[in-house]
Amino acid sequence: MTTTARHGEVTSGAHATPSLSTGWAVGLPLLRIGLVAVASVITWAVVQLIEPGIAFPPPSLLASLAMLPVNLICLFLLARLLKRAGSSIRELLGFDRRRLVTDLLQGLLWVLVLYLPFAGTIMLVTWLQHGDQMFVRMQTVFFDPAAVPTLNPVAWTILGILTVLTFAPVNAPTEELVYRGIGQGVLARRIPTALAVLSSAVLFGLQHVWYAATPDAVLPLACAFVVWGAGSGLIYLRQRRLMPIVFAHGLVDLVFTLPALAIPFFLANGG
């Protein structure tokens, strides 16, 4: 059901797509990719000052923490763009306190639905790269010890806590707003829906290239996140709300960052 909305906003069911140009639908995701690249390079450069010779890119813990300013910049731009279009971040997310438990439960379901093809894509691409040596190579493809600086347990503890507290709660809604809410949502009003979903998913995959620990990890991660992005885009089309996908995305980000809290214990025991 479509109704007429205020200030040029088009509302479809429970989902509202703001009236923005195609340039923003592509430009905002591209700007985010550029910001992620800059944050990664700056983080690596700072680590070099502390411990020269550390490999690029920086370890995932530091890369995740470096996403905080990127996410804040994106949220600031989103708030301004949506306000100008007569909408808001809350409205685009489809945030409703009465539906939070339902959204969370659906998010748990979508984690299971999305993770299987995501993990399968990583394994398939890694197998195509390394054949029967896939499982042996996976031990080094997605982790580079040469990129981990030598910090004391206290420093790692502080960094770990900051990462857990800031990454999942801020990164998940920001990425879904940028890639699904604006990228896919606005493009779908101007080009075929399937192409809008795919375009947003490809941009989403390109962003995660900057998280690849080694050159061999670039292709598996890019392909896997394109698959995740396409799956999330299809779910968004079905539900017309971002909140369930935000919960799914946030749960994965949380699981990804929680192990950072264990690093001090490994260090204290000679790990």
Side-chain angles (χ1 to χ4, degrees):
M1 180 177 67
T2 302
T3 58
T4 303
R6 54 190 174 83
H7 302 299
E9 185 181 70
V10 175
T11 305
S12 180
H15 152 268
T17 302
S19 250
L20 296 174
S21 68
T22 306
W24 278 116
V26 177
L28 190 58
L30 286 176
L31 174 62
R32 180 176 175 83
I33 293 171
L35 290 172
V36 171
V38 170
S40 183
V41 171
I42 291 176
T43 303
W44 174 76
V46 171
V47 172
Q48 286 290 306
L49 295 176
I50 301 171
E51 188 172 339
I54 292 294
F56 182 86
S60 57
L61 171 61
L62 299 181
S64 299
L65 186 57
M67 288 301 297
L68 180 58
V70 173
N71 286 323
L72 293 178
I73 291 171
C74 289
L75 285 173
F76 174 76
L77 291 174
L78 279 163
R80 288 180 62 89
L81 285 170
L82 292 172
K83 182 178 180 180
R84 195 165 61 191
S87 184
S88 67
I89 288 176
R90 183 189 181 102
E91 193 168 356
L92 186 56
L93 285 172
F95 180 84
D96 185 344
R97 286 192 180 91
R98 296 168 299 179
R99 301 184 63 167
L100 285 179
V101 174
T102 301
D103 289 340
L104 176 58
L105 292 175
Q106 289 180 344
L108 288 169
L109 171 63
W110 297 136
V111 168
L112 297 176
V113 170
L114 292 169
Y115 183 76
L116 291 177
F118 175 83
T121 302
I122 287 180
M123 296 182 69
L124 174 61
V125 176
T126 306
W127 175 76
L128 291 173
Q129 289 176 313
H130 304 291
D132 58 4
Q133 295 295 309
M134 175 183 72
F135 292 106
V136 175
R137 294 301 301 273
M138 285 182 76
Q139 299 176 33
T140 56
V141 165
F142 299 103
F143 174 71
D144 183 5
V148 181
T150 305
L151 298 176
N152 63 58
V154 174
W156 278 118
T157 299
I158 294 172
L159 292 173
I161 292 173
L162 289 174
T163 301
V164 170
L165 291 177
T166 62
F167 185 61
V170 182
N171 187 70
T174 305
E175 289 195 348
E176 294 308 321
L177 285 163
V178 169
Y179 291 104
R180 252 65 69 186
I182 299 297
Q184 176 182 314
V186 175
L187 282 177
R189 297 171 59 184
R190 294 169 171 81
I191 62 176
T193 301
L195 185 57
V197 172
L198 180 60
S199 299
S200 178
V202 168
L203 291 170
F204 185 64
L206 286 175
Q207 174 194 294
H208 289 83
V209 165
W210 290 98
Y211 302 137
T214 67
D216 280 350
V218 169
L219 187 59
L221 284 182
C223 293
F225 278 101
V226 168
V227 170
W228 181 284
S232 296
L234 292 174
I235 292 169
Y236 181 41
L237 281 176
R238 178 181 183 274
Q239 294 200 289
R240 313 302 291 175
R241 296 178 66 250
L242 282 175
M243 282 305 297
I245 292 298
V246 168
F247 274 119
H249 193 151
L251 289 168
V252 172
D253 283 350
L254 184 61
V255 170
F256 174 73
T257 54
L258 276 176
L261 298 178
I263 291 177
F265 297 100
F266 287 116
L267 293 174
N269 290 280

